[in-house]
Amino acid sequence: MGCSSSVSSSQPVHRTNNIQSSYDTRGTIVVYGMIQSPATQRILATLIEKGLKFQLKVINLKAGENLSRSYLEKQPFGTIPALDDVDGFTIYESRAISRYLEMKYKDKGTELIPKGNIKVEGLFEQAASIELSYFDSYANGIVTERIFKKMRGGEPDMNKVAELRRDLAKNLDVYDQILSTQSYLAGNMFTLADLFHLPLGSLLLKCGEGELFESRSHVKQWWNKISTRQAWKTVQAMA
Amino acid sequence: MPIKVYGTPTSTCTQRVLTTLIEKGLPYELIKVNLAAGEQKTQEYLDEKQPFGVVPVLIDEDGFKIYESRAICRYLELKYKGKGTELMPTNDVKALGLFEQAASIEMSYYDPYVSGIVFERLFKGMKGLGDPDEAKIALYREQLNAKLDVYEKILSKQPYLAGQDFTLADLFHLSYGNRLVKLNEGHFFESRPHVKDWWNRITSRPSWQQVLALA
């Protein structure tokens, strides 16, 4: 089992009790991950939007805890996060976890996937796919070069960054078009499709790439709206 | 008005949608977009069809327009739920969660490397963008091997990526996997017994065979 997090008691809503034992996890949602990990942050944002209590068990990547036999039994690809639901059901892949939480706890907190109208659901799926096709790999590439590589003592490949930035900029021009006629990516309701952008979008800002959002008026407006949501502010305060 | 698909029969992303339509037993009309002539980058296409300038796009019987191949497939499954093969287990939250996990596995651990190899070895040259970057290809191969070793573990316990049943999560692998095999890179599948069985099972589905025959 991974180590329990040393989250301080100033955040009581996210700890069901203080005993550090694996038997605590019955009846509690358990998140396996790291608070600094973008993918972990994705599901923390979802949990908080839904008003769900959870316990964070830190899987320390630097110490290779993601490659321990017990973690690999949960997540065979050895990446974070993974989640155990209250009944012990295990699921991994941050976007799958978020979707599962929305479906399982449909009536709690914010509605994050529009239900009841197939066209509206189709447009949600389109928006969720847009995030994966036109944002994620470029944002991740830039952030890997400019933040994660540096953390590991390497130097960013600024040619690669320039190429990725150029492609992301073209895609964000299209985002600006889309967002000129609707408030959010899927329509007029905030959904997981918007939420999924938060972790890497915030890291882009942190490494000085904020111009990508700032220079596009509708993207800027959208980003301000989604990044000032209370749930996201709470996640950022945890990191 | 029949369902209209804008794309081409050889486009990997269009093939995802066509396979789904056939699995669901839905008649459709394929309207070819002239990719070689750059039709998908014309202002008209960008304004009316797909603002990112790619294929496919689907226009449903009632004129509803949707793009992004995986989104189109999911939409078709939701809209035409009772028809043909069930492609997503929407009745049970756990089964649906495991489906979403499998769909994400395809995007995280398969698509980037397979499409990367296929781009370097095939599409790059076709688009006049230069020679294959062998260093990149080597990296993709290393990653894909590591990920498919995990597929082998998963598929040793269950016949399909989401569990006992064939779903969109398996279907999404077909078109790029086929390109890989055509580039003589089928060893990725062939060298792993459970992956090999799964690959044979999903590629021998009549829907996929019909799509291949269209190309």
Side-chain angles (χ1 to χ4, degrees):
Chain A
M1 292 300 286
C3 313
S4 287
S5 107
S6 51
V7 170
S8 77
S9 57
S10 63
Q11 296 161 52
V13 72
H14 305 303
R15 299 282 280 183
T16 51
N17 56 51
N18 289 316
I19 306 165
Q20 294 191 12
S21 144
S22 57
Y23 297 104
D24 283 343
T25 60
R26 281 177 307 172
T28 321
I29 291 176
V30 180
V31 173
Y32 299 86
M34 286 176 76
I35 184 60
Q36 307 90 334
S37 130
T40 305
Q41 290 177 351
R42 225 170 255 131
I43 68 172
L44 298 182
T46 302
L47 284 159
I48 298 168
E49 286 280 357
K50 303 302 291 176
L52 295 167
K53 293 201 175 102
F54 62 91
Q55 187 180 343
L56 175 64
K57 281 194 179 266
V58 172
I59 301 294
N60 192 321
L61 298 181
K62 254 193 170 163
E65 285 173 2
N66 54 314
L67 301 173
S68 73
R69 221 180 73 179
S70 61
Y71 187 72
L72 287 175
E73 266 162 41
K74 245 177 227 308
Q75 215 294 13
F77 294 93
T79 54
I80 54 173
L83 180 143
D84 287 345
D85 202 352
V86 296
D87 57 0
F89 173 66
T90 302
I91 179 170
Y92 56 87
E93 290 295 289
S94 65
R95 293 173 185 82
I97 295 169
S98 294
R99 284 168 171 267
Y100 165 77
L101 290 170
E102 170 61 15
M103 289 180 290
K104 170 90 186 280
Y105 300 101
K106 188 81 211 153
D107 298 324
K108 291 196 147 210
T110 320
E111 188 181 38
L112 295 171
I113 299 177
K115 283 280 170 197
N117 179 325
I118 288 177
K119 281 183 191 155
V120 172
E121 268 191 76
L123 294 176
F124 162 74
E125 292 297 349
Q126 180 178 284
S129 186
I130 284 171
E131 185 260 329
L132 279 166
S133 294
Y134 308 111
F135 182 80
D136 182 72
S137 63
Y138 306 99
N140 194 45
I142 293 170
V143 158
T144 297
E145 289 298 321
R146 297 199 64 181
I147 297 180
F148 297 136
K149 226 179 181 184
K150 275 192 141 178
M151 274 169 62
R152 297 195 287 262
E155 274 309 303
D157 176 350
M158 290 314 279
N159 285 328
K160 195 175 182 186
V161 170
E163 215 182 288
L164 290 165
R165 187 191 296 124
R166 191 198 58 212
D167 290 340
L168 181 55
K170 271 194 221 143
N171 293 339
L172 289 174
D173 284 343
V174 183
Y175 271 57
D176 205 58
Q177 252 180 278
I178 294 170
L179 294 164
S180 69
T181 56
Q182 55 193 57
S183 317
Y184 298 97
L185 263 178
N188 286 314
M189 181 182 134
F190 174 79
T191 67
L192 286 181
D194 308 289
L195 185 154
F196 289 162
H197 291 77
L198 288 168
L200 289 176
S202 299
L203 288 176
L204 281 174
L205 256 73
K206 279 208 180 105
C207 69
E209 299 280 354
E211 197 259 350
L212 286 161
F213 296 151
E214 294 293 311
S215 62
R216 297 169 171 83
S217 60
H218 302 103
V219 171
K220 179 180 176 173
Q221 235 181 328
W222 164 77
W223 179 256
N224 285 340
K225 242 186 286 180
I226 68 174
S227 60
T228 53
R229 289 181 71 88
Q230 192 51 57
W232 184 242
K233 284 186 178 170
T234 306
V235 172
Q236 296 231 275
M238 287 169 79
Chain B
M1 198 175 85
I3 293 173
K4 292 197 186 134
V5 179
Y6 292 82
T8 77
T10 52
S11 134
T12 45
C13 300
T14 306
Q15 288 177 337
R16 266 186 208 118
V17 173
L18 300 181
T19 311
T20 301
L21 285 161
I22 298 168
E23 284 283 348
K24 302 302 290 175
L26 297 165
Y28 66 91
E29 190 190 335
L30 176 61
I31 297 163
K32 288 191 188 170
V33 176
N34 194 335
L35 300 179
E39 187 187 334
Q40 77 281 22
K41 305 292 182 189
T42 60
Q43 200 55 53
E44 191 187 333
Y45 187 89
L46 295 173
D47 289 340
E48 291 174 18
K49 299 284 182 311
Q50 214 281 16
F52 293 94
V54 293
V55 294
V57 181
L58 182 140
I59 301 186
D60 204 349
E61 302 170 315
D62 58 1
F64 173 67
K65 184 185 73 161
I66 180 170
Y67 56 84
E68 290 296 291
S69 64
R70 295 174 185 81
I72 295 170
C73 295
R74 284 167 171 266
Y75 164 77
L76 289 170
E77 172 60 16
L78 291 171
K79 170 94 187 274
Y80 299 101
K81 189 78 204 160
K83 293 196 147 204
T85 320
E86 188 179 53
L87 295 170
M88 282 171 65
T90 45
N91 284 330
D92 176 65
V93 171
K94 279 189 184 138
L96 198 42
L98 294 176
F99 162 77
E100 292 296 353
Q101 181 178 283
S104 188
I105 284 170
E106 186 261 328
M107 287 291 306
S108 295
Y109 308 116
Y110 177 88
D111 186 76
Y113 311 113
V114 179
S115 68
I117 293 170
V118 170
F119 174 75
E120 288 296 326
R121 292 200 54 198
L122 182 68
F123 294 138
K124 201 175 180 183
M126 274 169 64
K127 292 180 185 185
L129 292 170
D131 290 326
D133 182 333
E134 293 298 337
K136 263 190 185 164
I137 294 172
L139 231 76
Y140 292 143
R141 283 210 183 101
E142 190 191 329
Q143 284 294 327
L144 184 57
N145 271 320
K147 307 311 178 193
L148 288 176
D149 284 345
V150 183
Y151 271 58
E152 179 65 14
K153 271 196 214 127
I154 294 171
L155 294 166
S156 71
K157 301 183 197 144
Q158 56 195 52
Y160 298 101
L161 227 64
Q164 296 303 312
D165 298 313
F166 177 79
T167 67
L168 287 180
D170 306 289
L171 187 155
F172 290 161
H173 290 74
L174 288 165
S175 51
Y176 267 113
N178 174 248
R179 285 286 181 180
L180 206 59
V181 171
K182 278 170 124 180
L183 288 168
N184 289 322
E185 303 265 17
H187 56 88
F188 285 108
F189 303 131
E190 297 292 313
S191 60
R192 298 171 169 89
H194 297 99
V195 172
K196 178 181 177 170
D197 278 347
W198 165 78
W199 183 250
N200 287 340
R201 231 178 289 131
I202 69 173
T203 52
S204 55
R205 291 182 77 89
S207 60
W208 179 244
Q209 291 299 314
Q210 280 186 56
V211 169
L212 286 177
L214 290 173

